[in-house]
Amino acid sequence: MTSWTPSLKGRSGPTYVALANAIADAVESGDLTPGERLPARRDLAHALKVSVNTVSSAYQEAERRGYVQGEVGRGTFVRRRTEETFTYGHPAGLIDLSICRPAVIPDQMTAIRDVIRAAAEEPDLASMLACRPIIGLTEHRISASRWLYRLGMPADPNDIVITNGCSHGMFVALSAVVEPEDTVVTDSLTDHGIIALSSLLKFNLKPLATDDEGITPEAFAAAAAKGSVKALVTTPTLNNPSCTIMSAERREQIAAIAAEHDIAIIEDDVFSPLVEDSPPPLSSFNPDNSYYVTSLTKCTVPGLRVGYLVGPSRNTQRLVARVRTTSWMATPLAADLASRWIDDGTIDEIVAGQRRELAARQAIAASYLEDFETKSHPAGPNVWLMLPGEWRAEGFVRHAFQRGVVITPPEPFIVGRSAAPHAVRLSVGSVETRADLEQALEILREDLSQRPEPAFMDV
């Protein structure tokens, strides 16, 4: 904890604003550096001879401006310099809760700089000069095996294919398994990327009935019995958008049905690092005919687009051929940065920080939306909000946008011509600060508490 004590002499305005300005000036000048912990509120209040409430208000104002970040039970930390702010591309004046991504957390920028600096200091810069092997450099696959083991998916490094993120990995897996006009089944609400791939690869994507754990064994067994299903695609941990988590028992049942009917399992496990004590991967129950895909983009930082794909050993070269066709090989530099974080333990610190930050944001969301039906996980990135009364998703999304909040309607996640639920997805990691999240949720709560206006069309 820093012993920093500012001088408020000569600063105009309310005391809490003067203190917030002093914090901003100290961050801008470098007197306070990213990751530094500010003094405890009581200690700073005593030093400045002001009330604790004044210091708390100043810290909240500094957080609203993006200079600091509070963590429950840990304190308040300098987030980054203003010029280091992540630019998420939000339209001016809008608060965007529509993009599912990790939150900005303390120490993030420092960790990114440190790993890039370490890579740059390598004498041979191997990760910049490599163009083979297509499967990924050996040392990167060894690091990946350590990470996968911790996720409950032990794999021989020789069977791990490095990809440019999870989306690339899912494309590689699906293109290796299915042909045009094959039938692929998935959750009734599924990731929009899978729907896009069905159009690109021209397979027939069919929805299965789901409950609070995801795909039901009865629905999968009935579809499998018809004899035409080639593959099952699912995200069993924190389904996007419904936030469901499939239990270990359910996973074992689903895997047994897939094995009985020789149906390939293609598993998107990108969210499981966020869930402590997550059930074993679905693929681990049927490794002989499963394709397990995960990535670091949802549990660390969005730009670390490194994915790991594990399939049956007999098909590894088939997967590698598709990596070569789509990108020659995954970007070695990104894989090198990921491996360094895995090997030195930084990834554990960042994932733990993500869990804490997302938990704090989920608690905020739960507080604002306590009068409405929602589905979420304490460390998940999304909230699935069921709309009350006469609200329909299209109208609610449009109304929220008019009031400056961007949210995601259900349509991108609907397979085929299935009925659209009256629900929307909120991504709590999308905004940069908790203050932004609170502002957006206050607007949404106000809207939810009133009846929608009638919709009219000019004819």
Side-chain angles (χ1 to χ4, degrees):
M1 184 188 304
T2 179
S3 59
W4 175 80
T5 303
S7 171
L8 303 184
K9 186 177 181 180
R11 294 186 181 273
S12 59
T15 305
Y16 84 93
V17 174
L19 179 51
N21 290 339
I23 293 170
D25 291 346
V27 174
E28 295 287 356
S29 67
D31 291 339
L32 288 174
T33 58
E36 224 176 332
R37 182 180 170 191
L38 294 187
R41 288 169 169 77
R42 189 171 300 278
D43 293 343
L44 189 56
H46 178 75
L48 295 176
K49 294 181 172 54
V50 299
S51 71
V52 175
N53 285 340
T54 296
V55 176
S56 295
S57 297
Y59 281 12
Q60 290 171 7
E61 174 63 17
E63 181 168 3
R64 187 190 68 78
R65 299 184 197 177
Y67 287 100
V68 301
Q69 178 75 65
E71 286 198 46
V72 176
R74 297 188 69 229
T76 302
F77 296 81
V78 177
R79 211 175 75 189
R80 60 197 176 280
R81 299 284 295 280
T82 301
E83 62 267 22
E84 296 164 346
T85 300
F86 286 126
T87 301
Y88 281 161
H90 300 166
L94 294 178
I95 304 175
D96 195 343
L97 300 183
S98 70
I99 306 298
C100 178
R101 58 182 152 215
V104 177
I105 59 175
D107 303 333
Q108 201 173 54
M109 296 302 298
T110 300
I112 293 170
R113 280 200 179 86
D114 287 346
V115 73
I116 292 174
R117 188 178 298 112
E121 290 173 353
E122 285 294 324
D124 57 3
L125 292 176
S127 62
M128 282 298 291
L129 300 177
C131 63
R132 284 186 177 86
I134 307 301
I135 194 172
L137 295 177
T138 300
E139 57 267 32
H140 297 164
R141 287 180 283 116
I142 291 173
S143 298
S145 71
R146 298 191 186 104
W147 178 242
L148 295 179
Y149 179 82
R150 283 142 64 182
L151 298 182
M153 192 66 198
D156 187 319
N158 293 320
D159 296 331
I160 298 173
V161 181
I162 298 181
T163 64
N164 288 312
C166 189
S167 296
H168 183 217
M170 295 298 287
F171 174 88
V172 169
L174 276 162
S175 64
V177 172
V178 302
E179 302 289 341
E181 304 306 323
D182 279 346
T183 297
V184 177
V185 293
T186 189
D187 305 71
S188 58
L189 291 170
T190 195
D191 188 272
H192 56 89
I194 301 303
I195 298 172
L197 285 176
S198 70
S199 177
L200 182 64
L201 296 175
K202 303 187 184 307
F203 58 79
N204 297 313
L205 189 63
K206 304 294 184 182
L208 295 177
T210 58
D211 59 16
D212 288 342
E213 289 191 26
I215 292 170
T216 67
E218 296 78 13
F220 184 35
K226 296 178 181 179
S228 61
V229 177
K230 189 68 170 292
L232 164 70
V233 180
T234 187
T235 306
T237 301
L238 294 180
N239 168 274
N240 182 22
S242 66
C243 307
T244 57
I245 297 181
M246 189 181 290
S247 68
E249 294 76 14
R250 175 73 61 87
R251 295 177 194 225
E252 189 171 10
Q253 290 176 294
I254 295 294
I257 295 169
E260 179 184 354
H261 295 276
D262 194 29
I263 296 172
I265 294 172
I266 301 175
E267 178 179 9
D268 177 349
D269 200 36
V270 72
F271 296 113
S272 71
L274 297 173
V275 180
E276 290 191 86
D277 301 320
S278 177
L282 175 60
S283 301
S284 68
F285 292 102
N286 185 19
D288 291 338
N289 199 16
S290 290
Y291 298 80
Y292 175 88
V293 185
T294 191
S295 165
L296 303 183
T297 55
K298 301 299 187 185
C299 63
T300 59
V301 292
L304 193 57
R305 306 206 65 78
V306 179
Y308 304 124
L309 165 60
V310 182
S313 298
R314 66 180 183 278
N315 280 347
T316 299
Q317 290 310 310
R318 186 174 175 83
L319 298 172
V320 170
R322 280 147 182 79
V323 172
R324 180 176 60 242
T325 300
T326 53
S327 65
W328 189 261
M329 71 181 299
T331 306
L333 179 58
D336 187 66
L337 302 182
S339 295
R340 290 173 185 274
W341 272 1
I342 292 170
D343 294 343
D344 68 11
T346 298
I347 193 169
D348 299 309
E349 298 174 7
I350 291 179
V351 170
Q354 282 295 335
R355 289 174 180 166
R356 289 192 297 269
E357 179 59 25
L358 289 173
R361 295 186 181 208
Q362 286 287 356
I364 291 170
S367 174
Y368 276 87
L369 302 174
E370 62 180 349
D371 294 331
F372 307 99
E373 183 183 357
T374 61
K375 293 180 181 178
S376 62
H377 182 274
N382 298 318
V383 175
W384 187 234
L385 169 65
M386 273 57 72
L387 299 176
E390 300 174 18
W391 279 111
R392 292 178 178 270
E394 180 182 1
F396 188 72
V397 169
R398 182 174 60 251
H399 190 71
F401 183 84
Q402 290 170 347
R403 297 200 63 198
V405 181
V406 186
I407 56 179
T408 306
E411 280 76 14
F413 310 104
I414 298 172
V415 180
R417 297 175 63 86
S418 301
H422 299 313
V424 294
R425 191 195 71 182
L426 316 177
S427 295
V428 298
S430 184
V431 288
E432 293 187 49
T433 69
R434 296 179 194 176
D436 290 336
L437 178 62
E438 291 183 352
Q439 183 180 350
L441 291 170
E442 177 62 32
I443 292 171
L444 297 181
R445 180 170 63 179
E446 290 175 0
D447 290 347
L448 291 167
S449 299
Q450 60 186 339
R451 296 178 64 181
E453 294 294 326
F456 294 97
M457 244 181 16
D458 293 329
V459 293

